Amino acid sequence: MTTPARGVGRPRVSSRETIAEAACELFLESGYEGTSIAGIAQRAGVSRSSFFNYFSSKSDVLWSGFDERLDRAVAALATPGAGVDATGVEEVLAAILEGMEPDPLALAFGNAQAMGLEEELQRESALRQGRLATALSDAARGAGVERIRADVLGAAYAVVVLSSLRVWAEGGAGHGSPLAQLQHALPRIADLHWG
């Protein structure tokens, strides 16, 4: 008995990872701006509507994994008492980067120039950094920290998270982890001063 030949077209199982992999290949080959959602779907062997079952945009291909972690962190920081001490805050921030495997965002940071993503990453990083800074500032204010200090702390901690991810990705996945980079960077917040 022979197995029927599989037709060309959509694979039997499509997934978020298959689409993300296809997108990253095309970003490297054609640049971010030169890559269309239709092209990503075609490369992944799925329909355009299947793309939108997993991602809302090309940018979402890069950021969705990080955004899920950021959503959890923002929710944790909104709980009463979340900003009482630095240790608890640092645990919430560590959870954003803990176990983060190389993914489309890490690939994008590591190959930003080749993919033509410098402006995209700068813009999107700033949005996420601002969201995290606000959540951190609100948590600090909820714990009694005065407004300006809370805002400065929120901004500093948020920068450390995004910077740790970027520095790790630019160094290559074989050089530690984003969490190790974060743990290395966190003490530097206490050392900040104009001098």
Side-chain angles (χ1 to χ4, degrees):
M1 180 173 166
T2 60
T3 307
R6 193 163 164 246
V8 185
R10 186 181 300 196
R12 288 190 183 139
V13 179
S14 65
S15 71
R16 178 179 200 90
E17 292 79 20
T18 302
I19 295 169
E21 184 179 307
C24 289
E25 288 172 1
L26 287 169
F27 295 160
L28 281 168
E29 292 170 15
S30 306
Y32 183 77
E33 291 301 322
T35 299
S36 68
I37 289 172
I40 294 169
Q42 182 179 12
R43 174 71 62 98
V46 299
S47 68
R48 191 175 148 86
S49 62
S50 291
F51 174 93
F52 289 111
N53 286 335
Y54 295 102
F55 301 105
S56 61
S57 65
K58 287 191 302 186
S59 183
D60 191 35
V61 172
L62 301 175
W63 287 97
S64 63
F66 182 85
D67 286 345
E68 290 170 6
R69 292 165 174 265
L70 180 58
D71 289 346
R72 289 191 297 269
V74 168
L77 290 166
T79 60
V84 170
D85 66 357
T87 303
V89 168
E90 290 174 7
E91 287 173 4
V92 170
L93 299 179
I96 296 173
L97 299 181
E98 187 173 15
M100 193 161 187
E101 299 297 327
D103 72 347
L105 182 58
L107 184 67
F109 274 125
N111 297 282
Q113 188 173 9
M115 292 179 162
L117 277 166
E118 295 98 333
E119 288 182 22
E120 169 76 14
L121 290 174
Q122 184 177 20
R123 181 179 52 253
E124 294 298 321
S125 291
L127 291 172
R128 283 146 182 94
Q129 188 174 299
R131 182 173 177 225
L132 183 56
T134 299
L136 287 159
S137 176
D138 290 348
R141 287 188 17 246
V145 177
E146 58 97 9
R147 178 68 188 241
I148 291 178
R149 182 168 175 77
D151 286 349
V152 169
L153 286 169
Y157 277 106
V159 166
V160 167
V161 171
L162 272 297
S163 181
S164 294
L165 178 58
R166 181 181 44 79
V167 167
W168 168 76
E170 288 173 353
H175 295 91
S177 69
L179 180 58
Q181 190 66 47
L182 177 70
Q183 291 166 337
H184 174 73
L186 282 172
R188 282 153 177 72
I189 292 175
D191 297 340
L192 293 177
H193 56 83
W194 297 107

